[in-house]
């Protein structure tokens, strides 16, 4: 397309419009040669809308358009006309062409270059606003939205989106979007730096030096063929800091998320995949291994994992390679002291920072040295007016040389300038390093200067500071003030703990972060390892670790009763924040064969592992616990370990494997008690017999367990047994007995405040209401189930809600919406790596078959394509509208998957 000459372009205050097709690469793959026709029709619609509104197309290239208008009113009119025109198109093969648009009003400068048209920050801002939008969305800058506030086209309103940071723009932008009648108006949060999924920590200081290394890592991550990048080097060299900065700059490259997974505290290779899943809040679903769940969740999504501290779990290299092989759009950035040494790896060996020469030159040259720059920057944290001068330059250069340019060593030494001047610091440092060099002390396989600097920093602590520092080394993944006080009790005055912690932070031996609104203190691995060695050297290691284990066993036992109740968010959050400490405590309990504590951890964590879908982690721990020599484990403790293992096996879908475990537990509990364990294990044996082998005797065992629980007044046990009986009845085609069992179970679960089972039962009852034509009753139970699923973050509850809503759509005679929701359900299942329980699967398949009967194939394909592209928020919004409609007086079918037959009784119900 020809670009107008400079004289054809309006100057002064204008409104810029950028647009492009979202997911154009996928369209090319789906359509092949037909994509050219789709692209041409898209340009025809967009160009016509721009021309009718008096706009001028500046550049049209690939699938993007850049246009200019004399005012925002005209630009908005063009955007609205274009979106409505695109909505009216019938696209081939059921695809949907979704175009995102960004509008900004400013004063760009026209230029003669026909490939550019305009230059200036306003052009850049408009392009970034477009990039932040989703397909079908029109996003406006503050200047554009203010100009059209009172002159919007009919059926259009402005919705304010708040303030967001956009890539490469210094200041946050206040943004809005257009809500257009008849056009999609539900979108994921816009793609700003604030909204791109990531868990990267907030960095309080800039990355100093490493410019070339940063460019190298970014370049590798930008190349599709380099999906495994390793930053390697000795401890303290700055691998993690470089990786986080590179990941932060790659947020736009990975729109589906950038996630930091710290594995140094995980301890073993078998927990690496669980750590990845837990970081991304991806549950491991029944009947599907964790690796399969991750592959399903990552498939088609552009995600970057930053796996930090991989030298601690090198045996997991094969798992990482398998994950990459099964997920073509996944990239992994590792930090490690050694490379994986595999063919797919692209390694950047990170060297220490350059140090100044032995004969320092001019001050300007020294100021440009990265080691000195870092040293000065850290000193200015507490001496803002500190400068490099002719008097102190030689000493500062000598300090950096002695520390070999290691960033961590420099950061540990810099705080000493609170009291000393550079010359005195250099003199003392030289003496300390020299003494350590000749001391004959064993050194770790890392730079002598790092170990020596930590040792020197430690030697300058007073007795209380040393005691505090040593005891903090037993924590993994950070520590809060309360736990720090508890583990230090008896070693220091508890009233002094806050002062001591502050002192250690000021000396860079601790770093402070805020996690979920609470301050939390961390040690770098190299510092923590030194501290733990010092703790053992002082003879206090066993006592401190025993105290640590007791603290976290108490935490687990306190949190366990709330893991499925109304307080589960607080309980789960507390355990997830402390998971590395809990793992470390459980690891020590197993290593020391403290079987009573092991049982306390396993039993307390069971429903965290189940509710969060962490089956692999749970089975890893039970396997290790059961490996303790049986002769050294009390019979009751071993039965408890087996029982936890059995529940993990059964709920992860391995009914056949769980059966002998439950049978062994039941034999023990029948003989030795307690009675509630005997009844529960009997019920579980019955469930596994029914599910694994279809043995009707299993039903008798469940009924016997129910009799026992009723007799004991155990509401939880009674409810669980009724759920099992309801599932059996529903699968057997007996909906009324199933409903009765579910509704009685619901009463019991409400009484014990078990939100997990309340939500599941509400959904089961909803399906039975829908099958019987009682769709108003279904609307009530669906509404409550959704509220619980959203409040407590149950992705499977929300997905089953969507599935039931598809059936409701058929009851309301809306097969197209049912088709869209069905596709959205499949997308959700794929995203969370889940599969339906047999009863829910049967209901979903029945709806899918009915939809296929009612819609012509081309229309069915188009609706499914539309629904598959919905975000979860869009799907839920559509389903909520159906539920609201079901509370009205619109006649419905007797059965959403059966013949059309309105029943007035069902309507009244």
């Amino acid at each position: 397309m020809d670009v107008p000459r400079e004289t054809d372009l309006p100057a002064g205050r204008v409104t810029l419009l950028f647009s492009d097709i979202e997911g154009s690469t996928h369209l090319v793959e789906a359509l092949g040669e037909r994509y050219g026709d789709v692209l041409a029709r898209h340009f025809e619609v967009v160009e016509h809308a721009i021309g009718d509104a008096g706009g001028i197309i500046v550049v049209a290239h690939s699938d993007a358009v850049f246009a200019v208008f004399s005012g925002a009113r005209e630009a908005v009119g063009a955007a609205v006309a274009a979106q409505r025109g695109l909505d009216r198109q019938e696209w081939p093969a059921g695809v949907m062409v979704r175009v995102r648009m960004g509008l900004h009003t400013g004063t760009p400068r026209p230029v003669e270059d026909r490939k550019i048209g305009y230059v200036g920050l306003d052009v850049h801002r408009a392009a970034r606003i477009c990039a932040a939008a989703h397909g079908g969305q029109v996003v406006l800058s503050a200047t554009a939205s203010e100009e059209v506030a009172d002159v919007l086209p009919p059926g259009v309103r402005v919705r304010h989106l708040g303030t967001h940071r956009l890539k490469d723009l210094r200041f946050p932008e206040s943004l809005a979007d257009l809500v257009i009648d008849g056009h999609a108006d539900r979108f994921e949060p816009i793609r700003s730096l604030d909204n791109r999924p990531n868990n990267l920590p907030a960095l309080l200081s800039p990355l100093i030096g490493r410019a070339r290394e940063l460019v190298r890592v970014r370049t590798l991550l930008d190349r599709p063929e380099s999906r495994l990048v390793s930053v390697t080097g000795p401890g303290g060299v700055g691998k993690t800091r470089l990786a986080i900065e590179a990941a932060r700059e790659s947020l736009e490259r990975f729109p589906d998320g950038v996630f930091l997974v710290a594995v140094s505290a995980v301890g073993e290779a078998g927990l690496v995949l669980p750590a990845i899943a837990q970081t991304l809040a991806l549950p491991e679903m029944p009947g599907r291994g964790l690796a399969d769940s991750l592959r399903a969740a990552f498939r088609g999504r552009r995600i970057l994992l930053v796996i930090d501290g991989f030298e601690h779990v090198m045996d997991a290299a094969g798992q990482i390679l398998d994950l990459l092989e099964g997920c073509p759009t996944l990239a992994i950035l590792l930090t490690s002291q050694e490379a994986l040494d595999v063919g797919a790896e692209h390694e950047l060996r990170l060297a220490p920072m350059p140090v100044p020469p032995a004969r320092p030159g001019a001050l300007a040259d020294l100021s440009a040295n990265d080691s000195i720059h870092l040293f000065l920057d850290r000193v200015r944290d507490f001496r803002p007016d500190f400068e490099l001068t002719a008097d102190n330059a030689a000493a500062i250069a000598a300090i950096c040389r002695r520390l070999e340019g290691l960033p961590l060593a420099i950061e540990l030494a810099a705080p000493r300038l609170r009291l000393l001047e550079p010359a005195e610091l250099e003199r003392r440092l030289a003496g300390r390093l020299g003494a350590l060099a000749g001391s004959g002390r064993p050194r770790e396989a890392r730079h002598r200067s790092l170990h020596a600097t930590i040792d020197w920093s430690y030697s300058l602590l007073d007795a209380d500071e040393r005691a505090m520092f040593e005891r903090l080394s037993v924590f993994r993944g950070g520590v809060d003030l309360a736990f720090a006080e508890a583990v230090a009790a008896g070693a220091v005055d508890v009233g002094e703990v806050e002062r001591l912690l502050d002192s250690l932070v000021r000396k860079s031996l601790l770093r402070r972060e805020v996690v979920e609104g609470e301050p939390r203190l961390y040690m770098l691995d190299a510092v923590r390892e030194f501290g733990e060695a010092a703790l053992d050297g002082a003879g206090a290691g066993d006592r401190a670790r025993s105290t640590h284990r007791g603290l976290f066993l108490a935490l687990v036992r306190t949190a366990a009763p709330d893991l499925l109740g109304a307080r589960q968010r607080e309980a789960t959050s507390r355990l997830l924040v402390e998971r590395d400490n809990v793992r470390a405590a459980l690891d020590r309990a197993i290593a020391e064969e403290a079987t009573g504590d092991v049982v306390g951890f396993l039993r307390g964590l069971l429903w965290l592992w189940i509710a969060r879908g962490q089956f692999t982690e749970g089975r890893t721990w039970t396997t290790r616990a059961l490996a303790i020599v049986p002769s050294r484990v009390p019979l009751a403790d071993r039965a408890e370990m087996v029982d936890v293992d059995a529940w993990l096996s059964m709920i992860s879908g391995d009914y056949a494997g769980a059966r002998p475990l439950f049978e062994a537990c039941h034999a023990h509990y029948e003989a030795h008690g307690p009675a509630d364990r005997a009844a529960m294990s009997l019920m579980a044996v019955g469930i596994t017999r029914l599910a694994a082998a279809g043995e009707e005797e299993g039903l008798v065992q469940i009924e016997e367990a129910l009799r026992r629980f009723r007799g004991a007044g155990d509401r939880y046990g009674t409810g669980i047994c009724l759920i099992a009986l309801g599932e059996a009845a529903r699968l057997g085609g007996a909906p009324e007995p199933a409903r009765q069992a579910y509704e009685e179970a619901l009463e019991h679960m409400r009484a014990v405040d078990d939100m997990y089972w309340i939500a599941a039962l509400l959904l089961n009852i909803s399906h039975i209401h829908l099958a019987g034509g009682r769709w108003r009753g279904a609307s009530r139970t669906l509404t409550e189930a959704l509220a619980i699923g959203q409040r407590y973050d149950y992705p499977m509850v929300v997905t089953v809600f969507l599935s039931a809503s598809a059936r409701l759509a058929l009851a309301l005679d809306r097969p197209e919406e049912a088709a869209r929701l069905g596709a959205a359900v499949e997308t959700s299942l794929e995203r969370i790596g889940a599969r339906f329980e047999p009863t829910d699967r049967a209901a979903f398949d029945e709806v899918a078959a009915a939809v296929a009967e009612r819609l012509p194939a081309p229309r069915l394909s188009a609706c499914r394509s539309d629904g598959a592209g919905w975000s979860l928020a869009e799907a839920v919004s559509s389903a909520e509208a159906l539920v609201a409609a079901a509370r009205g007086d619109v006649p419905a079918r007797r059965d959403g998957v059966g013949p059309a037959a309105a029943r007035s009784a069902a309507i009244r119900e």
Side-chain angles (χ1 to χ4, degrees):
M1 176 178 298
D2 289 338
V3 179
R5 294 186 300 276
E6 179 184 356
T7 52
D8 298 325
L9 296 176
R13 187 174 176 84
V14 296
T15 297
L16 309 174
L17 181 152
F18 278 82
S19 77
D20 63 24
I21 298 176
E22 183 179 60
S24 57
T25 301
H26 294 300
L27 289 177
V28 173
E29 293 172 352
L31 295 173
E33 294 181 356
R34 289 180 295 172
Y35 176 70
D37 294 336
V38 167
L39 186 63
R41 198 189 313 171
H42 145 264
F43 274 129
E44 181 180 345
V45 172
V46 174
E47 290 169 13
H48 189 269
I50 292 170
D52 282 356
I56 299 173
I57 294 177
V58 181
V59 176
H61 177 68
S62 183
D63 64 347
V65 174
F66 170 22
V68 61
F69 299 81
S70 59
R73 178 180 183 177
E74 292 78 9
V76 165
V80 171
Q83 295 290 1
R84 286 175 169 164
L86 292 166
D87 287 345
R88 289 193 295 268
Q89 302 301 307
E90 290 288 340
W91 304 105
V95 302
M96 293 296 295
V97 176
R98 300 175 183 274
V99 174
R100 57 185 179 180
M101 297 180 176
L103 279 65
H104 170 60
T105 300
T107 54
R109 181 169 59 87
V111 296
E112 293 184 6
D113 190 330
R114 298 174 64 85
K115 296 180 181 179
I116 299 175
Y118 285 93
V119 295
L121 185 59
D122 285 317
V123 178
H124 194 59
R125 180 172 285 111
R128 288 302 182 198
I129 290 171
C130 176
H134 295 278
Q137 187 176 28
V138 181
V139 178
L140 290 72
S141 69
T143 55
S145 60
E146 289 167 3
E147 190 168 306
V148 298
D150 300 322
V151 290
L152 288 166
V156 178
R157 63 182 175 87
V158 169
R159 173 173 54 193
H160 293 285
L161 302 175
T163 301
H164 300 271
R165 294 180 304 116
L166 302 181
K167 182 176 171 58
D168 297 332
L169 297 181
R170 182 181 299 274
F171 300 106
E173 297 289 324
S174 179
L175 302 176
D177 69 354
L178 299 180
V179 179
I180 305 168
D181 286 355
H183 179 69
D185 65 354
R186 296 287 184 134
F187 303 100
E188 293 281 0
I190 63 170
R191 296 185 175 98
S192 65
L193 293 180
D194 309 279
N195 288 333
R196 289 194 181 279
N198 75 89
N199 68 337
L200 300 177
L203 299 173
L204 301 180
S205 59
L207 179 66
I208 292 175
R210 306 304 194 193
R212 286 177 296 180
E213 293 90 342
L214 181 59
V215 169
R216 174 61 178 158
V217 176
R218 280 290 315 278
T219 301
L220 286 170
L221 292 175
D222 284 344
R223 289 163 47 187
E225 66 272 16
S226 53
R227 296 194 296 120
L228 175 60
V229 180
S230 297
V231 178
T232 63
V237 80
K239 302 182 295 293
T240 301
R241 183 67 177 81
L242 175 65
I244 291 174
E245 191 70 29
R248 187 174 299 281
E249 293 193 5
S250 299
L251 283 168
E252 188 168 294
R253 168 80 172 78
F254 298 97
D256 295 309
V258 176
F259 300 97
L260 175 65
V261 185
V263 296
S264 61
V266 165
E268 60 178 270
L271 294 179
V272 170
L273 293 187
I276 293 172
Q278 291 165 32
T279 298
L280 277 71
L282 295 174
E284 179 183 352
M285 287 300 169
R288 195 172 208 167
L290 182 52
D292 288 340
S293 295
L294 287 172
R295 282 192 287 269
F298 290 148
R299 189 170 299 126
R301 302 175 69 192
R302 289 158 58 195
I303 287 176
L304 172 66
L305 298 180
V306 183
I307 304 181
D308 186 41
F310 202 77
E311 68 271 10
H312 298 275
V313 289
M314 291 297 287
D315 289 344
Q319 300 173 43
I320 295 300
L321 293 175
D322 289 345
L323 198 58
L324 284 169
E325 184 177 347
C327 308
T329 56
L330 173 69
I332 292 178
L333 175 59
L334 290 176
T335 73
S336 178
Q337 291 191 20
E338 56 182 304
L340 271 62
D341 197 24
V342 295
E345 183 179 29
H346 297 262
E347 181 187 7
L348 171 68
R349 183 74 180 174
L350 193 60
M353 288 181 164
V355 298
R359 293 184 178 180
L363 286 181
D365 294 335
L366 287 178
S367 297
N369 177 267
D370 288 340
S371 295
I372 289 181
H373 187 185
L374 177 62
F375 183 83
L376 295 174
D377 187 78
R378 296 301 177 261
V379 172
R380 287 168 184 153
D381 286 343
F382 50 85
R383 290 177 62 176
D385 58 348
F386 187 83
E387 297 293 341
L388 183 71
T389 67
D391 292 333
N392 64 26
I396 291 174
I399 290 169
C400 293
R401 285 196 304 275
R402 292 190 185 282
L403 299 177
E404 298 181 328
L406 275 174
L408 178 54
I410 292 170
E411 293 187 4
L412 287 170
R416 293 299 160 187
L417 289 197
R418 291 180 186 274
L419 299 174
L420 307 175
E421 288 304 312
E424 179 63 12
L425 173 60
E426 194 276 328
R427 185 184 67 78
R428 295 190 179 203
L429 186 60
R432 185 68 183 177
L433 292 176
L436 289 173
S439 67
R441 299 185 186 185
R443 295 192 302 272
E444 301 169 57
R446 55 167 55 102
H447 280 255
R448 175 183 63 86
S449 58
L450 175 60
H451 179 86
T453 306
I454 299 172
D455 195 330
W456 182 58
S457 296
Y458 171 78
S459 72
L460 296 174
L461 302 177
D462 64 32
D464 282 349
E465 288 173 330
R466 287 189 186 187
M468 189 79 246
F469 170 69
E470 291 166 358
R471 280 151 184 78
L472 292 178
S473 69
V474 301
F475 291 95
R476 302 292 187 273
V479 58
D480 64 16
L481 177 62
F483 281 135
E485 289 176 339
V487 84
V492 301
D493 183 345
V494 174
E496 289 289 293
V497 169
E498 287 191 46
R499 180 188 65 80
L500 295 172
L501 294 176
D502 181 65
S503 177
L504 294 174
V505 170
R506 287 159 60 88
K507 293 176 171 66
S508 295
L509 289 167
L510 290 178
R511 58 186 175 89
R512 181 184 184 277
E513 292 184 9
V514 176
V515 177
E516 297 192 358
E518 296 296 328
R520 194 166 180 83
L521 300 164
Y522 294 84
M523 279 186 181
L524 293 174
D525 284 345
V527 176
R528 183 189 55 75
E529 290 165 9
F530 179 96
E532 199 157 16
L535 180 69
D536 287 331
D542 289 344
R543 180 177 178 181
R545 282 186 279 269
S546 177
T547 301
H548 177 276
R549 188 173 80 210
L551 289 171
F552 288 98
L553 178 58
L555 171 66
V556 168
R557 283 176 166 159
T558 300
D562 292 326
L563 286 175
L564 298 179
R567 291 177 51 81
Q568 65 185 267
R569 287 172 65 120
E570 296 84 353
T572 299
S573 175
R574 185 75 168 125
L575 288 178
L576 292 179
V577 167
E578 298 293 356
R579 61 189 167 201
D580 287 334
N581 279 310
V582 170
R583 286 169 175 157
L586 175 52
D587 178 68
R588 289 170 186 149
I590 292 173
E592 296 172 13
E593 299 186 354
T595 57
D597 285 0
V598 172
V599 168
F601 278 113
L602 297 182
R603 181 62 70 184
L605 293 169
L606 173 61
W607 283 100
L608 174 73
W609 291 329
I610 289 175
R612 305 294 295 182
Q614 298 172 2
F615 299 107
T616 297
E617 170 137 7
R619 294 298 303 275
T620 297
W621 290 114
T622 56
T623 299
R624 286 190 56 193
L626 290 167
I628 299 173
V629 178
S631 62
R632 295 203 287 267
V633 182
L635 192 60
D637 288 350
R638 189 161 188 85
E640 290 284 280
M641 295 176 188
V642 173
D643 190 53
V644 171
D645 196 42
W647 277 98
L648 289 167
S649 297
M650 181 175 73
I651 297 185
S652 67
D654 184 9
Y655 292 97
R659 176 176 173 175
L661 301 177
F662 278 125
E663 288 173 340
C665 291
H666 180 61
H668 170 81
Y669 292 134
E670 282 288 299
H672 304 286
D676 62 335
R677 288 273 195 272
M680 191 65 76
S681 59
L682 178 62
M683 180 207 70
V685 170
I687 291 174
T688 56
R689 291 181 71 178
L690 272 174
E695 298 177 12
E696 290 299 320
E697 181 62 25
L699 199 59
V700 175
Q701 291 175 305
I702 298 171
E703 290 170 342
E704 169 60 19
L706 175 61
R707 184 191 66 76
R708 295 187 189 186
F709 280 125
R710 286 193 195 280
D714 187 327
R715 304 205 70 165
Y716 179 79
T718 299
I720 291 291
C721 288
L722 287 166
I723 292 169
L725 293 174
E727 289 289 276
R730 188 175 163 204
L731 272 177
E736 186 55 27
R739 183 184 66 81
Q740 293 173 359
Y742 288 150
E743 289 184 346
E744 186 183 350
L746 181 60
E747 291 179 13
H748 291 290
M749 290 307 176
R750 288 193 192 279
V752 298
D753 212 23
D754 191 312
M755 306 309 297
Y756 178 86
W757 285 118
I758 290 172
L761 285 163
L762 287 167
L763 290 169
N764 289 346
I765 293 169
S766 299
H767 272 294
I768 293 176
H769 280 325
L770 288 168
R774 296 182 295 272
W775 47 279
R776 289 185 190 168
S779 73
R780 291 191 292 271
T781 51
L782 284 172
T783 298
E784 186 180 357
L786 176 64
I788 294 172
Q790 291 179 323
R791 174 170 175 74
Y792 296 108
D793 189 24
Y794 294 149
M796 198 60 179
V797 167
V798 176
T799 303
V800 176
F801 164 81
L802 295 176
S803 177
S805 298
R807 188 169 198 149
L808 181 58
L810 284 176
L812 296 173
D813 232 354
R814 301 179 185 180
E816 292 188 352
E817 290 182 60
R820 293 187 183 97
L821 281 168
V825 166
E826 291 174 349
T827 297
S828 179
L829 289 172
E830 189 73 9
R831 184 173 296 153
I832 63 178
R835 60 181 64 178
F836 280 136
E837 290 291 325
T839 48
D840 293 327
R841 181 80 248 177
F844 180 78
D845 289 344
E846 198 176 6
V847 171
V851 170
E853 287 180 3
R854 296 191 194 179
L855 292 178
R859 191 60 193 151
L860 174 63
S861 177
C863 290
R864 286 184 53 79
S865 177
D866 192 19
W870 274 353
S871 67
L872 184 62
E874 288 178 293
V876 168
S877 176
S878 175
E880 286 180 305
L882 288 166
V883 172
R887 291 193 292 267
D889 294 321
V890 183
R893 298 178 184 277
R894 158 68 178 168
D895 186 331
V897 296
R903 296 288 182 92
S904 59
I907 293 172
R908 288 193 297 274
E909 198 282 332

